[in-house]
Structure formats: structure tokens, C-alpha cells
Amino acid sequence: MNTRKVSVAIYMLMIICLCTILAGCSSRQDTAEADHDVAEDDLIVVGFSQIGSESYWRNANTESMQSVFTKENGFRLIFENAQQKQTNQITAIRSFIQRDVDYIVLAPVVETGWDTVLSEAKEAGIPVIIVDRQVDVSDDSLFTCWVGSDFELEGMLVCMWMSKYFNMRGIQPSAIHIADIQGTLGSSAQIGRTKGFKHMSQLYGWDVVAYEEGEFTKSKGKEAMSEILASHKDVNVVYCENDSEALGAVEALEAAGKKCGSNITKGEVMLVAFDGVNEEARAKVAEGKISCIGECNPLHGPRVESIIRKLEAGERPEKYQYVTEGIFANTSDIPSVMISGQERTVTVITKKDLQ
Ligand code: GYE
């Protein structure tokens, strides 16, 4: 072989080697892709229809769900934010059905109006897990189970705390002129907290001056407080159905030259609220501007995950799962409140806790 022929042969050999290496690589890549596909197929697909992002509580709840339903954890999450509109939630559920998800998780904005769409999910054989607020349906086989808080109990606990506080200070029930800034009308959180409030205020004999809707937002809470102040100058206690509303109410009260605090005999306006999630609201407790907050726990992600794991294992999770909650306050004067023979602890929030 002459030198030219030798170099052509070497060149050909190199090309063959290169092709073989590339072929190897690509087949390895194919396998890797196939592995990847298999892994994707193994994921449990969860469609979650969230109410919106109306409050700090809601954002903490979204984060809790998103942190659990990850690929690493074996899930694929399809997240839909409904901007507080039931029609958006119904559209989202229909799209989950079309995509044939494994589970539908619904945080319903209001209680009624779910029968049709949940029947569609049932027909498609997709289990529905309700989280946070509840649904009011004619047939409870339309959902697998629910996990969330007992909102009426939360309301009663906060009222019991107030009553103990007033008694301790020797304040007569007739001297309590109290307004309720309600949450989104028709939502379980509003229905329960308003019911607890109505029941206890009647029982204690407080003078209820107004009910105003605050939609669970700071801006609406502020508007509601201004409305109340315009027609009820004597209001000295405000029951806000979440802490976003309470922050708005503080702004409205201060803009009107009022002082927020527990000392109602000295002209202060006492505010109570729910959630205890928001740092700003917790700081207001430590400062004494919000007197008491009924705890509402938003960390439902792991709870829903454990329900799904049970269903995957062929087990039957409990139909209704209530979360146990306590109270936050700015004073240790009332260490706990008792309800139905059960003690609920009062956790004191101090400025030191917030640093
Ligand atoms: O209290 C409020 C939120 O449904 C428990 O909704 C939830 C409530 C919560 O917007 O802050």
C-alpha cells in the first residue's frame, strides 16, 4: 500500500470508530430518554384548583401544596388559580377531567354550586379531594374526602377569649358594641366564623352593631371598616374574619384618628381576627393593636399528600379530617379556653418572637 492508500484507510477507520462511538452514545441517550419517559409516566398527576391569592393565608396554602406535589416526590401538579371566581374553578375542573388527571384537588371558593361538575368528575372516575373550605352537595359520594379547619369552632374560641377578657376587666356585655367584617359570603370560612360569632354574641349579650363584607382582603377590610365607622361611632370591638381584613381595619381606624388596642374603656377599639399566618398581623398582635387571632392552619399540602398515598395504597381515608388549632394573643392573662371539654392553648406573641 502506498502512503496515500494507508492514510485513506486510517481516515476510514477513524470515521467508522467515530460512528460507532456516536451510535453508542445515541443509543445510551435513547435509553436515558426512555427511562425519563417511564419516570414521567409513573408520576401521579394532580390537578389543583386554588381559590385565588386573596390573602397571606392563601399564599401560604399554595406554597404548601406546591412544595409537596413535586416531581422529586412523584407528582406532576397542574395548578390553576381561580382569582376568587367559581366559574374559573368549574372550567379548571373540566380541563382536569379532559386531561384525565389521577386526582382533582379543589379548594372551593363558596359551598354551593358544585353538583354538576363534581358529577362529571365522578363519571370520569377521578377522585376529588376537597381542601380548606367545604362543598355543600346533595350526594356526598361526589367527593372522596375533605381536610380543613372547623371555622365555627374557631369563631367560638375567639369569642370565648374576648368574653374572658371582658370579664377580667369588669366590662359589662352591654358596653360591647361589636361589628363583624365578614369574609367572602357563602364560603365555609365566612359561614362558620359568622355562625360562631352570632351564637356567642347572643349568648353573652353583646350589642352587635353591624355586619359588613370584607372579602378576606386588606383593601375590602379597610373599606368595610370605614363604612362601619361612618354609621356606628360607638363601635369599640371589631371581629375581622381574617387577618388581612384586620390589617385594613387598623388602617381605616387610624386614619379616622382612633387607637387600636384592648383598652376599650379608655376609648381604644379592640380588633380580633383569624389565621395568624401573616408576619405583619402577628407584629400587630405583639404591638397590641390586634388583641387576639384564632389560629387557622394553611399547611394542607402534606395532609392532602397523605390522603393520596392512602388512596394509592387502596386504603380508605377518613371522610372529614379536621385540623386542631389554638389561639394567638398579646397577653398571657388567659392561658387557654375550654370548649366541649377540650382545652385550646393561647400562644402569646411578643415582639421578641418576631425578631
Ligand atoms: O382564613 C382567609 C382566606 O378559607 C381558611 O380564606 C380560608 C380563609 C382564610 O382567604 O385568610
Side-chain angles (χ1 to χ4, degrees), residues 16 32 55 106 122 130 208 226 322 324 342:
I16 289 167
S55 66
L106 167 67
K122 191 181 173 188
I130 310 289
V208 179
S226 306
Y322 287 93
T324 308
Q342 275 187 43

Side-chain angles (χ1 to χ4, degrees), residues 90 94 97 115-126 142:
I90 292 173
R94 293 204 166 117
I97 297 172
D115 293 74
T116 309
V117 76
L118 293 191
S119 302
E120 292 166 24
K122 191 181 173 188
E123 252 162 57
I126 305 174
L142 291 181

Side-chain angles (χ1 to χ4, degrees), residues 57 111 132-134 146 148-157 187-197 216 239 274-275 296 300 322 325:
W57 189 98
E111 290 193 346
D132 165 24
R133 303 177 185 174
Q134 300 202 12
W146 164 86
S149 306
D150 185 334
F151 302 116
E152 188 179 348
L153 181 73
E154 285 178 355
M156 298 207 296
L157 288 172
S187 69
S188 306
Q190 175 273 316
I191 295 172
R193 288 169 189 165
T194 301
K195 198 168 167 202
F197 170 74
F216 287 129
Y239 176 93
F274 295 88
D275 292 349
C296 185
H300 295 320
Y322 287 93
E325 294 159 332

Side-chain angles (χ1 to χ4, degrees), residues 218-255:
K218 184 174 174 181
S219 56
K220 284 280 173 189
K222 187 172 177 178
E223 268 176 48
M225 189 68 245
S226 306
E227 294 269 335
I228 294 166
L229 279 174
S231 35
H232 302 282
K233 303 257 177 295
D234 59 345
V235 64
N236 54 7
V237 185
V238 188
Y239 176 93
C240 303
E241 293 189 6
N242 80 344
D243 53 19
S244 303
E245 290 179 349
L247 290 174
V250 169
E251 282 186 10
L253 285 162
E254 289 181 347

Side-chain angles (χ1 to χ4, degrees), residues 8-24:
V8 167
I10 292 175
Y11 183 66
M12 293 293 283
L13 207 68
M14 277 170 66
I15 290 184
I16 289 167
C17 285
L18 196 68
C19 286
T20 319
I21 291 169
L22 283 179

Side-chain angles (χ1 to χ4, degrees), residues 21-174:
I21 291 169
L22 283 179
C25 276
S26 98
S27 81
R28 258 197 304 278
Q29 205 174 348
D30 286 351
T31 330
E33 259 166 27
D35 283 352
H36 185 72
D37 283 348
V38 171
E40 276 286 332
D41 282 354
D42 278 351
L43 296 179
I44 301 169
V45 183
V46 175
F48 174 38
S49 169
Q50 176 60 294
I51 291 171
S53 38
E54 75 283 2
S55 66
Y56 302 90
W57 189 98
R58 186 66 49 204
N59 297 341
N61 177 249
T62 297
E63 262 176 50
S64 167
M65 300 288 277
Q66 286 173 336
S67 70
V68 158
F69 295 111
T70 59
K71 199 170 165 191
E72 298 72 56
N73 227 359
F75 293 98
R76 189 150 66 78
L77 176 67
I78 309 171
F79 177 83
E80 292 291 345
N81 179 330
Q83 314 289 349
Q84 298 244 70
K85 292 201 173 66
Q86 185 174 33
T87 48
N88 291 345
Q89 296 205 284
I90 292 173
T91 308
I93 295 172
R94 293 204 166 117
S95 85
F96 298 153
I97 297 172
Q98 250 169 17
R99 294 169 79 168
D100 195 24
V101 299
D102 298 312
Y103 295 92
I104 291 174
V105 179
L106 167 67
V109 60
V110 288
E111 290 193 346
T112 54
W114 300 105
D115 293 74
T116 309
V117 76
L118 293 191
S119 302
E120 292 166 24
K122 191 181 173 188
E123 252 162 57
I126 305 174
V128 175
I129 297 159
I130 310 289
V131 65
D132 165 24
R133 303 177 185 174
Q134 300 202 12
V135 288
D136 180 1
V137 281
S138 48
D139 166 10
D140 79 353
S141 76
L142 291 181
F143 62 94
T144 305
C145 58
W146 164 86
V147 62
S149 306
D150 185 334
F151 302 116
E152 188 179 348
L153 181 73
E154 285 178 355
M156 298 207 296
L157 288 172
V158 166
C159 290
M160 287 173 95
W161 183 92
M162 283 194 279
S163 160
K164 282 194 167 211
Y165 186 89
F166 300 143
N167 285 343
M168 236 170 44
R169 297 279 183 273
I171 302 167
Q172 293 305 308
S174 55

